[in-house]
Amino acid sequence: MTAVASSPLASLLAYLVLFAALSLRWLASAAEGIPINTVYARGDTRLLTWILWWVSRSITGDAGSVLDAPINYPATGQLTGSEHFAALQLLFFPAFAATGNAVLAVNLVLFLAYPLAAWLMSRLLVGLRFDPLVACVVGLAFALGAHQVPTHVHQMHVLPLYLPAVALALHRLREAQDARALLPLVAVFGLACLTAYYTVAVLVQVVVLWTGTELLRRRPGRLRFALQVGIVVTGCLGLLWLASRPYLMRARLVGSLADVEATVRLMAAMSSVHLRLGAVEIFGAVSLVLAVAGCAGLLARRRRPIALLGIALVAAGAFLVCGGGLTVVSALPPSPLTDLLRLSVTFIRALSRYAVIVGFGVALLGAVGLHLATRALPRAGAAILLAFVALAVVGERGRRLWTQDIEHIRAVTSDAPVYARVAAITAQAGRGPLLELPLSSFGYSLQPEAMMGSMQHELPLVSGHTGYLPPHRPVVDATIERLPAEGALQDLVDMTRVGWILLRPARYWADVETRASFARELTSLSGVGPAWEIDGWTLLAVRREPRHADWFDAIARGDLPREVLATRPAPSVDRQL
């Protein structure tokens, strides 16, 4: 076992085998379902898969139009409604290119994050001169730590593997004192900047604390090390800032800053309560016990710096989870820089994701605690303790991988032939924006599912699920509410140039007669038809000329067609067409 733990390749393979065994049930359905931790994430489960598909498609198509994701048509820049996760294409793109299955590819990304996080954490601890077996056990606990089980797509916002990776890069740079050692830090932090804004926000905290700890070590070259880290981080953040202008412009469209801050404070209060009352659920009882034991490292001279760093990470992460960042920024005197910081802080709203920093600190403390315990025992006793802790982690946290819920995606399974038929028909009869109805069914939005279906027919969607809806969507939604009225259809044509309407089967409507009546009235309108019946679905062509060409152009520019907005009622929350 020691030989396996000491070998980087052997330990990585061991982690792959272990996590594959824990995930067999998940991997068996990876071609058609995605793990989910709550029903409230059903929309984002599809959205984030669709985003990775769209970015992957843009790589081999028109990369310059990657931000203009084809939802909420004709609004541009719709990818800025959520993260782009571009760096994850290193895993997603080859898997999707080989299989053509976006669901399978996103499952590969989520799965590989576990062994990679465990392996990188173990490599970091070995670099910090921990026993390889201790490092392997703690690596396992870290990978299954903060908010990591059960699996969910939101993990892609902050993949834990980045934390030990950047810490290891910093440690090796300090040890080597060689410019060539900058490359791993540039690679890790650069990839983080291309992954997600939450990842960057987390890594900045880790870099600051870890760099400060490295500077306290009695080694020459402190100034050079600080300058090297500062140049890399500042350079990457500067490039990220330039590339983020479309995202920040999108964020400014969502209510007033005061309203956004109120939302962040509410989320901070909720996250704070969850962190205090749900610590065992978040981090695991075994990891917490080891972390408490690791506090004894404050009394051990050689392990004191790691124990202090672990405590600092726990404190910093908890401070951010509880909304401390906004509190600090709000206390600053008014200035353009303060306004910029406020915008940046409120841009990061899901404060619970900062718990991964706490989890990193817990893992470091756990390594210290396990190290001290094994040193106090004879060799046989230490081996038994390590085996017991590993089994306890697998039993407590690993089993949640085995039992987790899998969200099956109908658009790539039972409904896949329908969308394939839509692709074939529209390829022959002419492409154009598509509206899939109803938008919701019995309280559940169908727009994310429509986005998954669009991966087959690749028509731009009039609707769409995203984090930041464009300004014209309330107008379009209100107009859809008025269908099948003659004026409503004409307004939709004027605003979106809708060319196709796809009606779902009766089970998605209030009742059979409601759907039948809606379809009958819609097909009676001029310019609607022909119609194709596809396994209970109805595809309708819309062939109408716009009467207000300026409406379409205004929406494409990001403006609201004011004359429509002034006369249309707001849509109801959950009307069944």
Side-chain angles (χ1 to χ4, degrees), residues 180-213:
R180 288 174 297 181
L182 274 172
L183 293 178
L185 180 61
V186 172
V188 173
F189 204 84
L191 285 174
C193 289
L194 292 173
T195 300
Y197 291 101
Y198 285 95
T199 301
V200 176
V202 164
L203 282 197
V204 166
Q205 320 304 321
V206 174
V207 167
V208 169
L209 290 173
W210 200 280
T211 300
T213 301

Side-chain angles (χ1 to χ4, degrees), residues 74-76 78 253 470-472 552-562:
T76 57
Q78 290 307 292
L253 297 175
H472 79 279
F552 180 88
D553 296 336
I555 291 174
R557 292 193 307 268
D559 298 330
L560 285 171
R562 298 295 179 180

Side-chain angles (χ1 to χ4, degrees), residues 213-547:
T213 301
E214 292 287 353
L215 289 174
L216 293 175
R217 295 172 60 195
R218 295 181 179 177
R219 290 181 61 87
R222 291 179 180 178
L223 179 59
R224 179 174 57 185
F225 172 72
L227 288 175
Q228 288 174 327
V229 174
I231 290 171
V232 171
V233 173
T234 303
C236 289
L237 291 179
L239 293 175
L240 176 63
W241 175 256
L242 292 175
S244 298
R245 295 176 66 185
Y247 277 84
L248 293 172
M249 290 175 61
R250 185 72 173 271
R252 292 180 187 273
L253 297 175
V254 186
S256 68
L257 189 57
D259 292 338
V260 174
E261 287 186 359
T263 300
V264 174
R265 294 186 191 282
L266 175 61
M267 297 182 73
M270 296 171 61
S271 298
S272 175
V273 171
H274 185 47
L275 184 63
R276 292 197 303 268
L277 302 181
V280 172
E281 177 189 347
I282 296 172
F283 306 107
V286 176
S287 292
L288 291 175
V289 169
L290 291 177
V292 171
C295 293
L298 296 173
L299 304 176
R301 183 178 61 84
R302 295 187 61 183
R303 294 302 171 186
R304 186 179 300 134
I306 302 301
L308 286 171
L309 180 57
I311 292 172
L313 286 164
V314 170
F319 178 74
L320 292 170
V321 167
C322 298
L326 180 58
T327 301
V328 171
V329 171
S330 298
L332 297 175
S335 71
L337 177 59
T338 301
D339 292 341
L340 180 61
L341 290 173
R342 288 175 68 194
L343 178 63
S344 301
V345 168
T346 52
F347 195 57
I348 307 296
R349 302 185 189 183
L351 300 180
S352 60
R353 291 172 186 162
Y354 283 122
V356 72
I357 301 176
V358 181
F360 189 38
V362 166
L364 289 174
L365 285 170
V368 173
L370 200 54
H371 166 82
L372 295 176
T374 54
R375 286 300 179 91
L377 294 172
R379 180 175 299 181
I384 293 174
L385 175 63
L386 290 171
F388 174 78
V389 171
L391 290 173
V393 169
V394 170
E396 180 195 11
R397 308 289 286 181
R399 66 179 179 83
R400 299 180 71 177
L401 289 179
W402 183 270
T403 60
Q404 63 190 356
D405 293 330
I406 307 295
E407 178 78 35
H408 291 273
I409 313 298
R410 296 181 65 94
V412 299
T413 54
S414 59
D415 293 340
V418 175
Y419 289 111
R421 181 66 177 144
V422 170
I425 292 171
T426 56
Q428 292 185 349
R431 295 175 57 80
L434 181 142
L435 172 63
E436 187 173 308
L437 295 175
L439 294 182
S440 65
S441 178
F442 304 104
Y444 170 51
S445 175
L446 296 172
Q447 296 175 73
E449 197 75 26
M451 292 167 65
M452 295 295 289
S454 72
M455 295 190 301
Q456 288 202 60
H457 58 67
E458 296 193 3
L459 300 176
L461 297 179
V462 171
S463 64
H465 171 77
T466 187
Y468 295 86
L469 287 174
H472 79 279
R473 268 301 301 272
V475 182
V476 169
D477 289 349
T479 305
I480 292 172
E481 289 275 0
R482 295 165 46 229
L483 288 174
E486 164 73 27
L489 180 62
Q490 186 60 51
D491 286 349
L492 278 178
V493 171
D494 289 340
M495 288 188 286
T496 69
R497 301 290 196 274
V498 61
W500 298 93
I501 296 178
L502 181 61
L503 304 180
R504 283 179 164 267
R507 65 179 177 272
Y508 293 99
W509 299 67
D511 52 60
V512 174
E513 180 53 35
T514 298
R515 184 197 188 275
S517 174
F518 184 91
R520 186 166 55 249
E521 293 182 42
L522 190 60
T523 54
S524 69
L525 300 178
S526 62
V528 178
W532 288 264
E533 296 296 331
I534 314 169
D535 295 335
W537 299 58
T538 304
L539 179 64
L540 299 168
V542 179
R543 300 294 181 259
R544 280 195 171 199
E545 292 298 321
R547 297 176 183 173

